[in-house]
Structures are given as structure tokens and as C-alpha cells.
Amino acid sequence: MAPSHALRCCKRVLNWVPVLFINLVVGWSYYAYVVELCVYTIPNNAERISYLVIFHIFLFMFIWSYWKTIWSKPAGPSKAFGLPRAEKELFEKEDRAEMQQQILKKVAKNLPVYTCTAGGAIRYCDHCQVIKPDRCHHCSTCEMCVLKMDHHCPWVNNCVGFSNYKYFVLFLAYASLYCVVICATVIQYFIKFWTKQLPDTHAKFHILFLFFVASLFFISILSLLIYHLWLVGKNRTTIEAFRAPVFTNGPDKNGFSLGFSKNVAEVFGDQVKYWIFPVFSSLGDGHSFVTRLVHIDPEQANNILQQNGKSSSPVEGETNPATLGNDVQHTAENSKDKIDGGHTVSVTVESEP
């Protein structure tokens, strides 16, 4: 047990190495830009001040979104997705997989779960002992199930999912703009040092290297940013882009796509004024999602929540994601309404946006 614990501790420490590397690069870029370029190289005060103002604005937004991505705790499934005590005891005593599935199906029919495994089974996490909500996956690094998991990013040492996906996209955007600002303002002095129009000083190495590093980072980050903006427009996670979610009628890579504007609003929110800031404004609760095939009336879901008195922990105190109660009965049959205990779940089929 002791060696295993020591290895886990070492692994956790090593996981911070990429984050430390990024912070060292950013720290050096700050010194190279502010001190070597603005203080020692630029002769004009007006140019120096304007460069410093623009630089610090984008640096602040970059650091803000980066650290929000790092320190936002991944959101996990609420207790409503765990097995009730009686069903849990039966599940643990049962050795037959078929009977275990029957127990899971009995519990899952009262939950807003519309996706399944490739074989049609209920998605259940043996480690966390919960029925996985749609788009939820278990992260072996974080050792937990993460709502709307996109991927585990070593550069932030955190899972990117429902609680911080907006922050992650903004981090990529502001990192790209940060590199653009550096390249656009440094290039003229880079050329002057390269062509020996300026004397060789201690600033030469920093400015030449700063331009090369910013250019390389911009190219790599921009490609990743474009990919994730494409995912936002399609309302897919990285996992879903590689493996389409499976509904009762089969795999559907566009199952969660509601049209470009609604897809963007799901990540960034319905108030444009909050889009550029790394504050939580994503729509939904992370447990259930409107799909092209299934639609749950949010007002009815909230009423059921209030009746059951169930809720999940807010994301960093910024949201209060709700847990759908166990009175919602659902089906994947097309164009049907099913009424169970007075609660209606409407199922609709729409064409691909």
C-alpha cells in the first residue's frame, strides 16, 4: 500500500510539470517583452506606453481564463444517478450481467438518460457506482466521472468538461491573441536586430527568441482553437467527435446538435455580454441535454425538482445545476408523448440543422 501511495503522489506532482512549463514560458515572455523590448529597446515613449497597455490587457485575459480552466473543479453526477440502497444491494449480490442490466434499466427509466453503450446497455461506472448521465465519462486521471467530459488536458492538469469548457475555449482564444500581439509588435525590432540595423545588446537574444516562440505557439494553439470552435458549432465533445454517442435508435454524431446558434449558446450562454469573459454562463445543468430526438420541458423538470427536493452542488458557486427527479418517465419512440404521474415528456424528431 505504501509504495502505491508514494507512486500516486509522485504522479500527481509530475502532472503539474506541463503547467509549470507554461507558467515559466509566460513569465519569461513577460520579462522579455516588458523589460528587454519596451524598457531597453523602444525609444519612443508613446509607442512604449501603447504597447504596454495592449500587452497587459491580453495578458490579463489570458491568465484569467487559463487559471479558471485549471482551478475549476470538474462537475460530477449528482446523487440522483446513484443506485438506491435496495437496488444497490441487489446489484452487488447479483453475478449475472443480464440481471444487473435489468436492475440498472429499472433505475435508469426514471432518469433523463437517453444514450447507452454500443451494445445497448445502460452506461454504468463501476468505480463511481453511478449511472452515467448523457455525455458523462470516467476520467482515470481525475478518478471521477466528469459531466460532459471533453478530454483531460495535461497543459491545465485538469479535466475539460461542463464546468470549465467555456474557460478552456477562451484560454485558447486569448493565448492566440496574446501571441498575435507579441508577434505584431515585436516584428519590426526582430527585423532590425536580424539585419543588424540595431547594435548587438543583451536584448537581441530575448527579442529574436520571443518572436520565434510566440510564432510557434500561435500556430499550434490556433489549430487547436479552430478545432474546438468547430466542436462548439456542432455541439460535440472531443470524445463524441471520435466516437458518436449511441441512442436507442443507434449512433448519431449529430444527436446533440440543435443548430449553430443554439449550440454556441449552450457553451457560452444566451447573453452575449458574458461571452468574452471567463465567468460561468453555460446553459443547462450538465446532467441532461436537449437532443434532436428527445426534448424535456425545462419548466416541468424544475417542477419535478422542487417536488423531489433534489439538487446538485453549484459549479464554483456560480451556477446551481439541477438534478432531474426520479418521476420523469421517458421513451425514445418517435412523435409520442408519455404521461407518468402527471408529468409529460415530449419526444420530437427534427431534421439535421
Side-chain angles (χ1 to χ4, degrees):
M1 294 296 293
S4 177
H5 179 71
L7 288 175
R8 291 178 64 182
C9 291
C10 290
K11 183 180 178 181
R12 290 176 180 175
V13 172
L14 291 175
N15 287 339
W16 286 102
V17 171
V19 177
L20 177 63
F21 172 76
I22 293 295
N23 281 272
L24 289 175
V25 171
V26 174
W28 166 79
S29 70
Y30 184 87
Y31 166 80
Y33 191 92
V34 173
V35 178
E36 299 295 345
L37 176 67
C38 294
V39 175
Y40 291 133
T41 304
I42 298 177
N44 187 287
N45 284 332
E47 182 182 8
R48 180 185 296 119
I49 293 173
S50 62
Y51 280 13
L52 286 173
V53 171
I54 296 173
F55 174 80
H56 280 91
I57 290 174
F58 285 99
L59 174 65
F60 174 76
M61 297 302 293
F62 164 51
I63 295 297
W64 186 11
S65 56
Y66 181 54
W67 283 97
K68 287 285 284 187
T69 307
I70 293 175
W71 296 112
S72 295
K73 184 179 179 181
S78 68
K79 295 180 179 179
F81 286 82
L83 298 180
R85 180 177 297 179
E87 283 76 7
K88 187 176 181 180
E89 291 178 355
L90 290 175
F91 183 85
E92 291 175 347
K93 293 178 181 178
E94 185 60 61
D95 295 328
R96 293 170 295 177
E98 297 82 1
M99 295 305 299
Q100 288 182 332
Q101 273 299 303
Q102 291 299 322
I103 297 172
L104 294 178
K105 287 180 179 180
K106 178 182 177 182
V107 178
K109 73 178 183 179
N110 297 320
L111 294 171
V113 177
Y114 297 96
T115 57
C116 54
T117 66
I122 299 297
R123 299 171 64 244
Y124 181 78
C125 180
D126 293 316
H127 298 283
C128 302
Q129 296 184 330
V130 295
I131 294 174
K132 295 180 183 179
D134 293 341
R135 317 184 83 175
C136 175
H137 299 274
H138 185 86
C139 176
S140 58
T141 304
C142 295
E143 299 179 346
M144 65 175 291
C145 284
V146 180
L147 296 180
K148 197 185 177 183
M149 179 178 173
D150 187 89
H151 70 289
H152 184 90
C153 180
W155 298 107
V156 299
N157 190 30
N158 198 4
C159 252
V160 178
F162 176 75
S163 64
N164 62 354
Y165 187 65
K166 177 190 173 183
Y167 308 151
F168 177 75
V169 175
L170 288 179
F171 151 60
L172 296 178
Y174 286 120
S176 300
L177 292 174
Y178 178 70
C179 293
V180 168
V181 168
I182 291 177
C183 292
T185 54
V186 168
I187 188 169
Q188 61 173 315
Y189 297 98
F190 170 85
I191 295 173
K192 289 179 179 179
F193 275 118
W194 191 267
T195 57
K196 300 188 181 301
Q197 297 179 37
L198 290 175
D200 290 345
T201 62
H202 55 82
K204 179 179 180 179
F205 165 78
H206 291 281
I207 292 176
L208 293 178
F209 197 54
L210 180 62
F211 181 81
F212 279 121
V213 171
S215 300
L216 292 175
F217 269 85
F218 172 73
I219 294 172
S220 59
I221 295 173
L222 181 63
S223 59
L224 189 59
L225 173 63
I226 292 174
Y227 175 68
H228 277 279
L229 290 178
W230 177 80
L231 290 178
V232 170
K234 294 290 186 179
N235 202 346
R236 299 178 196 168
T237 64
T238 299
I239 295 175
E240 292 165 355
F242 286 94
R243 185 174 66 249
V246 181
F247 297 85
T248 53
N249 61 329
D252 186 356
K253 63 180 180 180
N254 297 312
F256 294 106
S257 181
L258 305 173
F260 180 78
S261 59
K262 291 183 179 179
N263 293 343
V264 173
E266 188 170 295
V267 175
F268 290 94
D270 50 11
Q271 298 188 55
V272 180
K273 62 183 179 180
Y274 294 122
W275 284 11
I276 64 173
F277 300 106
V279 294
F280 191 87
S281 59
S282 302
L283 301 181
D285 57 17
H287 292 84
S288 60
F289 299 89
V290 178
T291 77
R292 296 190 308 119
L293 302 177
V294 181
H295 171 70
I296 301 177
D297 188 349
E299 293 185 2
Q300 293 178 353
N302 289 333
N303 290 335
I304 296 170
L305 263 177
Q306 295 173 0
Q307 293 173 10
N308 290 352
K310 295 179 180 178
S311 63
S312 60
S313 301
V315 179
E316 298 186 323
E318 296 171 304
T319 62
N320 187 21
T323 302
L324 294 178
N326 288 335
D327 293 333
V328 177
Q329 189 82 11
H330 64 76
T331 178
E333 296 176 4
N334 296 340
S335 304
K336 276 191 178 181
D337 289 347
K338 185 167 182 180
I339 301 176
D340 180 26
H343 303 299
T344 304
V345 177
S346 61
V347 181
T348 62
V349 177
E350 301 174 0
S351 59
E352 166 60 13

mmCIF file of all heavy atoms in Angstrom, residues 183-213:
data_model
loop_
_atom_site.group_PDB
_atom_site.id
_atom_site.type_symbol
_atom_site.label_atom_id
_atom_site.label_comp_id
_atom_site.label_asym_id
_atom_site.label_seq_id
_atom_site.Cartn_x
_atom_site.Cartn_y
_atom_site.Cartn_z
ATOM 1 N N CYS A 183 3.820 39.032 -31.586
ATOM 2 C CA CYS A 183 4.409 38.970 -32.931
ATOM 3 C C CYS A 183 4.239 40.288 -33.685
ATOM 4 O O CYS A 183 5.168 40.767 -34.346
ATOM 5 C CB CYS A 183 3.784 37.827 -33.728
ATOM 6 S SG CYS A 183 4.197 36.187 -33.130
ATOM 7 N N ALA A 184 3.063 40.897 -33.599
ATOM 8 C CA ALA A 184 2.771 42.117 -34.356
ATOM 9 C C ALA A 184 3.595 43.302 -33.876
ATOM 10 O O ALA A 184 3.971 44.167 -34.680
ATOM 11 C CB ALA A 184 1.288 42.445 -34.260
ATOM 12 N N THR A 185 3.882 43.355 -32.582
ATOM 13 C CA THR A 185 4.628 44.496 -32.043
ATOM 14 C C THR A 185 6.132 44.261 -32.003
ATOM 15 O O THR A 185 6.908 45.227 -31.975
ATOM 16 C CB THR A 185 4.128 44.813 -30.617
ATOM 17 O OG1 THR A 185 4.192 43.622 -29.815
ATOM 18 C CG2 THR A 185 2.700 45.319 -30.655
ATOM 19 N N VAL A 186 6.556 43.022 -32.022
ATOM 20 C CA VAL A 186 7.983 42.704 -31.940
ATOM 21 C C VAL A 186 8.632 42.611 -33.319
ATOM 22 O O VAL A 186 9.843 42.824 -33.459
ATOM 23 C CB VAL A 186 8.184 41.383 -31.159
ATOM 24 C CG1 VAL A 186 9.608 40.861 -31.300
ATOM 25 C CG2 VAL A 186 7.846 41.591 -29.694
ATOM 26 N N ILE A 187 7.845 42.350 -34.353
ATOM 27 C CA ILE A 187 8.415 42.005 -35.654
ATOM 28 C C ILE A 187 9.346 43.078 -36.218
ATOM 29 O O ILE A 187 10.389 42.767 -36.809
ATOM 30 C CB ILE A 187 7.295 41.674 -36.672
ATOM 31 C CG1 ILE A 187 7.911 41.138 -37.958
ATOM 32 C CG2 ILE A 187 6.381 42.867 -36.915
ATOM 33 C CD1 ILE A 187 6.904 40.549 -38.916
ATOM 34 N N GLN A 188 8.995 44.358 -36.042
ATOM 35 C CA GLN A 188 9.857 45.400 -36.606
ATOM 36 C C GLN A 188 11.224 45.427 -35.934
ATOM 37 O O GLN A 188 12.248 45.651 -36.591
ATOM 38 C CB GLN A 188 9.188 46.767 -36.491
ATOM 39 C CG GLN A 188 8.885 47.212 -35.080
ATOM 40 C CD GLN A 188 8.371 48.649 -35.029
ATOM 41 O OE1 GLN A 188 8.939 49.537 -35.689
ATOM 42 N NE2 GLN A 188 7.308 48.879 -34.267
ATOM 43 N N TYR A 189 11.263 45.162 -34.626
ATOM 44 C CA TYR A 189 12.540 45.126 -33.914
ATOM 45 C C TYR A 189 13.258 43.811 -34.159
ATOM 46 O O TYR A 189 14.497 43.758 -34.129
ATOM 47 C CB TYR A 189 12.316 45.375 -32.426
ATOM 48 C CG TYR A 189 11.745 46.746 -32.161
ATOM 49 C CD1 TYR A 189 10.386 46.923 -31.975
ATOM 50 C CD2 TYR A 189 12.573 47.868 -32.156
ATOM 51 C CE1 TYR A 189 9.852 48.188 -31.761
ATOM 52 C CE2 TYR A 189 12.049 49.138 -31.950
ATOM 53 C CZ TYR A 189 10.692 49.293 -31.753
ATOM 54 O OH TYR A 189 10.167 50.551 -31.556
ATOM 55 N N PHE A 190 12.488 42.766 -34.404
ATOM 56 C CA PHE A 190 13.091 41.494 -34.811
ATOM 57 C C PHE A 190 13.852 41.671 -36.130
ATOM 58 O O PHE A 190 14.993 41.215 -36.270
ATOM 59 C CB PHE A 190 11.996 40.438 -34.965
ATOM 60 C CG PHE A 190 12.455 39.157 -35.593
ATOM 61 C CD1 PHE A 190 13.034 38.152 -34.833
ATOM 62 C CD2 PHE A 190 12.313 38.939 -36.962
ATOM 63 C CE1 PHE A 190 13.455 36.967 -35.413
ATOM 64 C CE2 PHE A 190 12.731 37.760 -37.545
ATOM 65 C CZ PHE A 190 13.302 36.768 -36.777
ATOM 66 N N ILE A 191 13.237 42.352 -37.091
ATOM 67 C CA ILE A 191 13.874 42.587 -38.390
ATOM 68 C C ILE A 191 15.109 43.475 -38.238
ATOM 69 O O ILE A 191 16.155 43.230 -38.862
ATOM 70 C CB ILE A 191 12.863 43.219 -39.369
ATOM 71 C CG1 ILE A 191 11.738 42.234 -39.672
ATOM 72 C CG2 ILE A 191 13.548 43.651 -40.665
ATOM 73 C CD1 ILE A 191 10.614 42.814 -40.501
ATOM 74 N N LYS A 192 15.007 44.493 -37.390
ATOM 75 C CA LYS A 192 16.141 45.409 -37.206
ATOM 76 C C LYS A 192 17.328 44.706 -36.564
ATOM 77 O O LYS A 192 18.480 44.926 -36.950
ATOM 78 C CB LYS A 192 15.710 46.601 -36.360
ATOM 79 C CG LYS A 192 14.765 47.561 -37.079
ATOM 80 C CD LYS A 192 14.339 48.712 -36.176
ATOM 81 C CE LYS A 192 13.410 49.663 -36.927
ATOM 82 N NZ LYS A 192 12.956 50.788 -36.063
ATOM 83 N N PHE A 193 17.066 43.852 -35.590
ATOM 84 C CA PHE A 193 18.162 43.092 -34.988
ATOM 85 C C PHE A 193 18.717 42.065 -35.976
ATOM 86 O O PHE A 193 19.931 41.837 -36.058
ATOM 87 C CB PHE A 193 17.687 42.383 -33.712
ATOM 88 C CG PHE A 193 17.736 43.236 -32.483
ATOM 89 C CD1 PHE A 193 16.580 43.543 -31.782
ATOM 90 C CD2 PHE A 193 18.939 43.732 -32.012
ATOM 91 C CE1 PHE A 193 16.613 44.329 -30.638
ATOM 92 C CE2 PHE A 193 19.003 44.515 -30.865
ATOM 93 C CZ PHE A 193 17.834 44.818 -30.183
ATOM 94 N N TRP A 194 17.823 41.425 -36.740
ATOM 95 C CA TRP A 194 18.236 40.392 -37.692
ATOM 96 C C TRP A 194 19.099 40.972 -38.812
ATOM 97 O O TRP A 194 20.048 40.326 -39.279
ATOM 98 C CB TRP A 194 17.001 39.708 -38.255
ATOM 99 C CG TRP A 194 17.291 38.465 -39.044
ATOM 100 C CD1 TRP A 194 17.470 38.360 -40.387
ATOM 101 C CD2 TRP A 194 17.480 37.153 -38.515
ATOM 102 N NE1 TRP A 194 17.728 37.072 -40.740
ATOM 103 C CE2 TRP A 194 17.745 36.288 -39.607
ATOM 104 C CE3 TRP A 194 17.431 36.610 -37.223
ATOM 105 C CZ2 TRP A 194 17.972 34.922 -39.442
ATOM 106 C CZ3 TRP A 194 17.648 35.251 -37.076
ATOM 107 C CH2 TRP A 194 17.916 34.431 -38.171
ATOM 108 N N THR A 195 18.752 42.179 -39.250
ATOM 109 C CA THR A 195 19.501 42.839 -40.341
ATOM 110 C C THR A 195 20.600 43.753 -39.807
ATOM 111 O O THR A 195 21.176 44.543 -40.564
ATOM 112 C CB THR A 195 18.540 43.653 -41.219
ATOM 113 O OG1 THR A 195 17.838 44.609 -40.402
ATOM 114 C CG2 THR A 195 17.535 42.739 -41.915
ATOM 115 N N LYS A 196 20.812 43.702 -38.509
ATOM 116 C CA LYS A 196 21.881 44.467 -37.846
ATOM 117 C C LYS A 196 21.685 45.975 -37.978
ATOM 118 O O LYS A 196 22.669 46.741 -38.026
ATOM 119 C CB LYS A 196 23.253 44.055 -38.394
ATOM 120 C CG LYS A 196 23.575 42.575 -38.189
ATOM 121 C CD LYS A 196 24.986 42.241 -38.558
ATOM 122 C CE LYS A 196 25.282 40.757 -38.383
ATOM 123 N NZ LYS A 196 25.078 40.288 -36.999
ATOM 124 N N GLN A 197 20.442 46.414 -38.043
ATOM 125 C CA GLN A 197 20.163 47.853 -38.010
ATOM 126 C C GLN A 197 20.249 48.395 -36.592
ATOM 127 O O GLN A 197 20.370 49.604 -36.380
ATOM 128 C CB GLN A 197 18.773 48.129 -38.589
ATOM 129 C CG GLN A 197 18.612 47.761 -40.052
ATOM 130 C CD GLN A 197 17.213 48.038 -40.561
ATOM 131 O OE1 GLN A 197 16.589 49.027 -40.170
ATOM 132 N NE2 GLN A 197 16.708 47.175 -41.438
ATOM 133 N N LEU A 198 20.148 47.482 -35.618
ATOM 134 C CA LEU A 198 20.328 47.846 -34.217
ATOM 135 C C LEU A 198 21.576 47.163 -33.682
ATOM 136 O O LEU A 198 21.914 46.042 -34.102
ATOM 137 C CB LEU A 198 19.111 47.412 -33.393
ATOM 138 C CG LEU A 198 17.807 48.186 -33.620
ATOM 139 C CD1 LEU A 198 16.678 47.560 -32.814
ATOM 140 C CD2 LEU A 198 17.965 49.654 -33.240
ATOM 141 N N PRO A 199 22.294 47.798 -32.785
ATOM 142 C CA PRO A 199 23.521 47.192 -32.242
ATOM 143 C C PRO A 199 23.211 45.958 -31.409
ATOM 144 O O PRO A 199 22.137 45.839 -30.818
ATOM 145 C CB PRO A 199 24.102 48.317 -31.379
ATOM 146 C CG PRO A 199 22.926 49.172 -31.012
ATOM 147 C CD PRO A 199 22.018 49.123 -32.196
ATOM 148 N N ASP A 200 24.177 45.050 -31.374
ATOM 149 C CA ASP A 200 24.010 43.841 -30.569
ATOM 150 C C ASP A 200 24.031 44.197 -29.082
ATOM 151 O O ASP A 200 25.048 44.674 -28.560
ATOM 152 C CB ASP A 200 25.120 42.837 -30.878
ATOM 153 C CG ASP A 200 24.968 42.237 -32.268
ATOM 154 O OD1 ASP A 200 23.880 42.382 -32.843
ATOM 155 O OD2 ASP A 200 25.951 41.657 -32.780
ATOM 156 N N THR A 201 22.910 43.951 -28.421
ATOM 157 C CA THR A 201 22.806 44.184 -26.983
ATOM 158 C C THR A 201 22.244 42.937 -26.322
ATOM 159 O O THR A 201 21.906 41.954 -26.995
ATOM 160 C CB THR A 201 21.875 45.377 -26.690
ATOM 161 O OG1 THR A 201 20.561 45.079 -27.170
ATOM 162 C CG2 THR A 201 22.387 46.651 -27.383
ATOM 163 N N HIS A 202 22.101 42.987 -25.007
ATOM 164 C CA HIS A 202 21.539 41.831 -24.291
ATOM 165 C C HIS A 202 20.087 41.604 -24.653
ATOM 166 O O HIS A 202 19.541 40.532 -24.414
ATOM 167 C CB HIS A 202 21.685 42.027 -22.779
ATOM 168 C CG HIS A 202 21.085 43.307 -22.280
ATOM 169 N ND1 HIS A 202 19.753 43.467 -22.018
ATOM 170 C CD2 HIS A 202 21.665 44.511 -22.008
ATOM 171 C CE1 HIS A 202 19.508 44.687 -21.593
ATOM 172 N NE2 HIS A 202 20.669 45.359 -21.576
ATOM 173 N N ALA A 203 19.433 42.622 -25.238
ATOM 174 C CA ALA A 203 18.027 42.476 -25.619
ATOM 175 C C ALA A 203 17.858 41.696 -26.916
ATOM 176 O O ALA A 203 16.759 41.187 -27.188
ATOM 177 C CB ALA A 203 17.384 43.854 -25.758
ATOM 178 N N LYS A 204 18.912 41.594 -27.707
ATOM 179 C CA LYS A 204 18.782 40.953 -29.028
ATOM 180 C C LYS A 204 18.312 39.513 -28.910
ATOM 181 O O LYS A 204 17.376 39.091 -29.607
ATOM 182 C CB LYS A 204 20.116 41.011 -29.764
ATOM 183 C CG LYS A 204 20.078 40.331 -31.139
ATOM 184 C CD LYS A 204 21.412 40.423 -31.851
ATOM 185 C CE LYS A 204 21.335 39.733 -33.213
ATOM 186 N NZ LYS A 204 22.633 39.823 -33.942
ATOM 187 N N PHE A 205 18.949 38.732 -28.064
ATOM 188 C CA PHE A 205 18.586 37.322 -27.924
ATOM 189 C C PHE A 205 17.125 37.181 -27.495
ATOM 190 O O PHE A 205 16.378 36.371 -28.053
ATOM 191 C CB PHE A 205 19.494 36.637 -26.910
ATOM 192 C CG PHE A 205 18.980 35.313 -26.429
ATOM 193 C CD1 PHE A 205 19.102 34.176 -27.215
ATOM 194 C CD2 PHE A 205 18.333 35.203 -25.197
ATOM 195 C CE1 PHE A 205 18.612 32.956 -26.784
ATOM 196 C CE2 PHE A 205 17.839 33.990 -24.758
ATOM 197 C CZ PHE A 205 17.988 32.862 -25.555
ATOM 198 N N HIS A 206 16.709 37.965 -26.493
ATOM 199 C CA HIS A 206 15.344 37.857 -25.973
ATOM 200 C C HIS A 206 14.312 38.212 -27.034
ATOM 201 O O HIS A 206 13.282 37.533 -27.159
ATOM 202 C CB HIS A 206 15.187 38.779 -24.756
ATOM 203 C CG HIS A 206 15.951 38.336 -23.560
ATOM 204 N ND1 HIS A 206 15.523 37.325 -22.729
ATOM 205 C CD2 HIS A 206 17.141 38.759 -23.050
ATOM 206 C CE1 HIS A 206 16.394 37.151 -21.746
ATOM 207 N NE2 HIS A 206 17.389 38.011 -21.919
ATOM 208 N N ILE A 207 14.572 39.244 -27.810
ATOM 209 C CA ILE A 207 13.591 39.679 -28.806
ATOM 210 C C ILE A 207 13.522 38.693 -29.971
ATOM 211 O O ILE A 207 12.427 38.355 -30.447
ATOM 212 C CB ILE A 207 13.928 41.102 -29.296
ATOM 213 C CG1 ILE A 207 13.698 42.094 -28.154
ATOM 214 C CG2 ILE A 207 13.082 41.471 -30.516
ATOM 215 C CD1 ILE A 207 14.083 43.508 -28.467
ATOM 216 N N LEU A 208 14.654 38.212 -30.428
ATOM 217 C CA LEU A 208 14.651 37.215 -31.510
ATOM 218 C C LEU A 208 13.946 35.942 -31.066
ATOM 219 O O LEU A 208 13.101 35.385 -31.782
ATOM 220 C CB LEU A 208 16.078 36.906 -31.952
ATOM 221 C CG LEU A 208 16.858 38.029 -32.635
ATOM 222 C CD1 LEU A 208 18.275 37.558 -32.974
ATOM 223 C CD2 LEU A 208 16.160 38.502 -33.892
ATOM 224 N N PHE A 209 14.304 35.479 -29.893
ATOM 225 C CA PHE A 209 13.731 34.243 -29.391
ATOM 226 C C PHE A 209 12.254 34.425 -29.069
ATOM 227 O O PHE A 209 11.445 33.513 -29.272
ATOM 228 C CB PHE A 209 14.500 33.792 -28.149
ATOM 229 C CG PHE A 209 14.281 32.352 -27.788
ATOM 230 C CD1 PHE A 209 14.488 31.344 -28.720
ATOM 231 C CD2 PHE A 209 13.849 31.993 -26.511
ATOM 232 C CE1 PHE A 209 14.284 30.008 -28.397
ATOM 233 C CE2 PHE A 209 13.644 30.667 -26.183
ATOM 234 C CZ PHE A 209 13.861 29.683 -27.120
ATOM 235 N N LEU A 210 11.874 35.604 -28.566
ATOM 236 C CA LEU A 210 10.481 35.880 -28.237
ATOM 237 C C LEU A 210 9.591 35.784 -29.475
ATOM 238 O O LEU A 210 8.500 35.220 -29.422
ATOM 239 C CB LEU A 210 10.351 37.270 -27.616
ATOM 240 C CG LEU A 210 8.937 37.729 -27.209
ATOM 241 C CD1 LEU A 210 8.358 36.811 -26.127
ATOM 242 C CD2 LEU A 210 8.971 39.168 -26.717
ATOM 243 N N PHE A 211 10.072 36.310 -30.587
ATOM 244 C CA PHE A 211 9.284 36.261 -31.820
ATOM 245 C C PHE A 211 9.116 34.818 -32.304
ATOM 246 O O PHE A 211 8.014 34.416 -32.700
ATOM 247 C CB PHE A 211 9.957 37.097 -32.907
ATOM 248 C CG PHE A 211 9.198 37.128 -34.200
ATOM 249 C CD1 PHE A 211 8.119 37.976 -34.363
ATOM 250 C CD2 PHE A 211 9.550 36.292 -35.252
ATOM 251 C CE1 PHE A 211 7.399 38.000 -35.559
ATOM 252 C CE2 PHE A 211 8.841 36.302 -36.441
ATOM 253 C CZ PHE A 211 7.770 37.159 -36.594
ATOM 254 N N PHE A 212 10.182 34.034 -32.272
ATOM 255 C CA PHE A 212 10.118 32.641 -32.710
ATOM 256 C C PHE A 212 9.166 31.833 -31.816
ATOM 257 O O PHE A 212 8.324 31.073 -32.311
ATOM 258 C CB PHE A 212 11.505 32.006 -32.709
ATOM 259 C CG PHE A 212 12.327 32.330 -33.905
ATOM 260 C CD1 PHE A 212 13.559 32.969 -33.761
ATOM 261 C CD2 PHE A 212 11.894 32.016 -35.190
ATOM 262 C CE1 PHE A 212 14.331 33.273 -34.869
ATOM 263 C CE2 PHE A 212 12.663 32.316 -36.303
ATOM 264 C CZ PHE A 212 13.892 32.947 -36.145
ATOM 265 N N VAL A 213 9.292 31.985 -30.509
ATOM 266 C CA VAL A 213 8.458 31.228 -29.578
ATOM 267 C C VAL A 213 6.987 31.606 -29.732
ATOM 268 O O VAL A 213 6.107 30.736 -29.786
ATOM 269 C CB VAL A 213 8.919 31.457 -28.122
ATOM 270 C CG1 VAL A 213 7.922 30.853 -27.135
ATOM 271 C CG2 VAL A 213 10.301 30.859 -27.904
#
